[in-house]
Amino acid sequence: MPNAILDPTGRAQARPPAAGLQLAPRRQDPSGLRVGLLNNTKHNAALLLAEIGKLLAADHSMSVALAETKPNFAAPAPAELVDRFREQCDVVVTGVGDCGSCSASAVADGIVFEQAGLPSAVICSDAFTVTASAMADLRGAPGYHFIVTEHPVAVLDEEQVRQRAKRLAPEVVALVTAKAGR
Amino acid sequence: MTELDPDKAQAAIEHCYEQGWSDGLPLIPATDPLVDKFLAAAGRSPDEVIGRLPQLDRVVTVRLAAINAAMAGCLPEYFPVVLAAWEALMRERVTGGGGWQSTSGPAPLIIVNGPVRAELGFNTAGGVFGPGFRPNATVPRAIGLIVRNVYGIHPHELEQATQGLPGRWSICVAENEEESPWPSLASEAGLPDGVSAVSATLLRTCEFVDNRHTASAEQLLADFADSIGRSGPWIFQHAAAGVVFCPEHAQMLAAAGLGRAEVRGWLVEHSGRTTADLARVGKDRVEGRLRLPGDGEPAAEFQRMLASEDRTNLLIAVAGARNAGISMIVRLFADWSGAAVPVIRP
């Protein structure tokens, strides 16, 4: 009997993550929802989120209750940060997934917010959808829906960021309310 | 050699490809008897956790590292060097964050010091950046396989390198202590002489400085400063670099009375560009961490690339043959920990 070839991954016997993320419950009506903005520090992310926040307030009667910056774009959002969003917000908008690790990390955060009961909209550049989806699979949430925007975001000027925010705001509203039809 | 069965060996190698374990080159299929030799060579608990990535919820154990080192083609006695290289990399700020997934596709630079170099046959001299020497080739490959297989960071998936760089998992040099005029890199890090140790950081690229005809230490240093200070690699306020000097360049600088600290001080002062130079490439203004287009003023102001004279901003080592004035500038992905990790053997 020959010796077995060893598995170098350590995951052959690993329990697959429980499939099927239970999304946070959504309201039909966005009006009155308190929005949290989580900026992952990528260039133009703060401006894009702020502009989206203004549009959610002006056009959908929502309000920006909290705007924070992630301490490390590559790492998962710390538990204390998630707690603050849970205490002060009803929904979360986060991004921009615009690099190798932050795209995956933004999706991981979105999943954590959903598990904490907060409907979330993760914004990711279209150059990083594969790695973002790979993270969703890893977290037991295959098919997790995030908002995809054209790459690149970092080179846009302020006016272009505002235009981008206008296009994305309706998608954000749809994703954090029951209108997404998921 | 009649008992060797190449057909079975080929089938086992193909099996490893089919599992998605390979970096593209053939792997040594690892079995318990082989991996047990690795574990014995290191004398560490197989279950000891030596790395973790919280965002992926994955941990590296000594045993998993041993399997990957065996697959990379290491000999069992290289394994303590692999573990020291891994630990040196774990001391880098970026390896616990997004470094391995980065669009930069950074490559580990592994530098070996001490008696282990000769004992295991590490190349310190001609062609030190490779190829041709089993320990220099397989130790960094083991690191790459750990990242690929244990962390599960595969190209086009969780690994998002835009282009990567040549030799990403093959840059391991042993310092040419015998022909270096300076104390070893490990001594500079505070380890006693005679201790084998590994230093490591992540690189964006390597580029040569070929200067064989000046007798002036200042002209030689100016050539390095000009190449170090160019704008392309400069994306944050400061950038870190390193120089792997060939023995000829190092000896010339030492003959002029310069030690590592003096060389570093000179290069820190002179490596950079004027604000006008940086304005031409849209990198003259610093906002937050990033370099962005600005107004180009004050035009004549000289901006230094290296943040300070701290050795973590400019790694200096000596390796290669004493046959020409050809040295290598290395571009650091982030700052360097400055640590040298002892090679521990039972």
Side-chain angles (χ1 to χ4, degrees):
Chain A
M1 187 67 184
N3 288 306
I5 298 177
L6 299 178
D7 171 12
T9 70
R11 288 188 294 282
Q13 276 82 44
R15 185 171 48 88
L21 168 72
Q22 190 68 41
L23 290 176
R26 262 76 173 157
R27 279 179 21 192
Q28 285 281 347
D29 181 6
S31 64
L33 286 175
R34 298 168 302 164
V35 181
L37 305 174
L38 180 58
N39 158 24
N40 72 344
T41 75
K42 298 312 284 188
H43 191 57
N44 275 335
L47 180 60
L48 181 68
L49 293 178
E51 289 297 318
I52 289 173
K54 283 184 201 166
L55 293 166
L56 299 182
D59 301 341
H60 300 276
S61 306
M62 299 160 83
S63 63
V64 175
L66 183 61
E68 289 213 23
T69 300
K70 231 177 132 172
N72 176 352
F73 65 74
E80 319 82 74
L81 184 148
V82 175
D83 286 344
R84 284 196 295 279
F85 277 80
R86 186 164 44 194
E87 285 158 15
Q88 300 177 46
C89 311
D90 303 306
V91 300
V92 180
V93 187
T94 187
V96 177
D98 195 23
C99 78
S101 57
C102 66
S103 311
S105 185
V107 163
D109 292 340
I111 292 167
V112 168
F113 285 125
E114 295 285 349
Q115 289 165 336
L118 293 167
S120 62
V122 176
I123 301 169
C124 183
S125 127
D126 64 9
F128 293 99
T129 55
V130 172
T131 199
S133 297
M135 176 58 92
D137 293 349
L138 193 69
R139 291 298 159 97
Y144 177 72
H145 192 108
F146 50 89
I147 294 173
V148 177
T149 191
E150 308 94 294
H151 187 82
V153 175
V155 298
L156 302 180
D157 65 25
E158 286 190 24
E159 183 49 36
Q160 289 170 319
V161 172
R162 280 190 200 98
Q163 292 302 321
R164 188 67 68 94
K166 270 186 196 160
R167 295 217 302 277
L168 294 176
E171 286 190 58
V172 169
V173 174
L175 196 51
V176 299
T177 62
K179 293 176 179 172
R182 287 173 302 161
Chain B
M1 297 305 250
T2 50
E3 60 271 40
L4 293 181
D5 189 334
D7 298 305
K8 282 187 178 169
Q10 289 153 13
I13 289 166
E14 283 304 320
H15 170 84
C16 295
Y17 274 115
E18 287 159 13
Q19 306 308 307
W21 296 338
S22 168
D23 52 13
L25 295 172
L27 297 166
I28 304 292
T31 56
D32 275 324
L34 178 62
V35 170
D36 286 347
K37 289 181 194 166
F38 279 70
L39 294 170
R44 309 254 298 258
S45 164
D47 296 325
E48 182 185 343
V49 172
I50 56 172
R52 61 174 75 242
L53 269 193
Q55 66 267 43
L56 303 181
D57 195 24
R58 285 173 181 161
V59 297
V60 182
T61 61
V62 168
R63 180 177 166 74
L64 286 170
I67 295 172
N68 283 281
M71 291 174 60
C74 290
L75 290 173
E77 53 266 38
Y78 303 173
F79 189 45
V81 181
V82 172
L83 289 175
W86 179 261
E87 184 177 336
L89 286 166
M90 290 303 98
R91 295 192 189 185
E92 296 291 282
R93 177 174 53 83
V94 288
T95 56
W100 304 119
Q101 296 162 259
S102 171
T103 46
S104 324
L109 165 70
I110 297 166
I111 303 176
V112 182
N113 279 114
V116 75
R117 295 168 306 138
E119 289 164 20
L120 299 180
F122 277 94
N123 183 21
T124 67
V128 72
F129 278 88
F133 294 83
R134 185 171 178 174
N136 300 66
T138 57
V139 168
R141 189 186 187 205
I143 302 295
L145 290 178
I146 294 169
V147 171
R148 177 185 179 88
N149 289 319
V150 187
Y151 282 162
I153 299 176
H154 290 203
H156 295 190
E157 296 172 18
L158 288 171
E159 194 259 76
Q160 288 288 307
T162 305
Q163 295 186 314
L165 61 135
R168 184 172 184 196
W169 305 115
S170 66
I171 308 175
C172 174
V173 305
E175 204 172 21
N176 188 342
E177 297 174 24
E178 290 70 22
E179 294 185 296
S180 169
W182 300 320
S184 75
L185 190 62
S187 305
E188 195 196 22
L191 294 184
D193 286 345
V195 172
S196 293
V198 181
S199 305
T201 188
L202 293 182
L203 301 187
R204 292 290 304 265
T205 196
C206 305
E207 63 184 280
F208 68 92
V209 171
D210 188 326
N211 190 323
R212 316 184 195 198
H213 303 300
T214 180
S216 155
E218 186 153 324
Q219 283 182 339
L220 181 62
L221 285 173
D223 207 3
F224 282 96
D226 186 70
S227 292
I228 289 172
R230 67 181 180 78
S231 64
W234 205 348
I235 55 177
F236 300 119
Q237 178 171 11
H238 296 288
V243 183
V244 179
F245 282 107
C246 65
E248 182 177 317
H249 282 163
Q251 288 170 11
M252 187 172 151
L253 295 170
L258 305 174
R260 272 190 165 93
E262 290 76 27
V263 168
R264 193 176 283 118
W266 203 97
L267 292 174
V268 167
E269 188 182 341
H270 293 91
S271 301
R273 289 291 183 266
T274 63
T275 299
D277 289 334
L278 290 167
R280 276 193 284 278
V281 299
K283 291 182 172 179
D284 56 309
R285 180 171 64 94
V286 176
E287 181 187 298
R289 299 169 61 236
L290 289 175
R291 286 198 163 266
L292 303 169
D295 62 7
E297 295 296 334
E301 175 194 41
F302 185 77
Q303 299 197 35
R304 291 182 179 186
M305 175 180 266
L306 303 162
S308 76
E309 295 186 11
D310 192 285
R311 55 195 291 278
T312 59
N313 296 308
L314 185 63
L315 182 156
I316 293 177
V318 179
R322 194 185 51 79
N323 61 4
I326 303 172
S327 295
M328 195 74 90
I329 290 172
V330 296
R331 301 278 177 191
L332 273 53
F333 175 61
D335 42 1
W336 168 46
S337 75
V341 175
V343 175
I344 301 166
R345 291 180 285 186

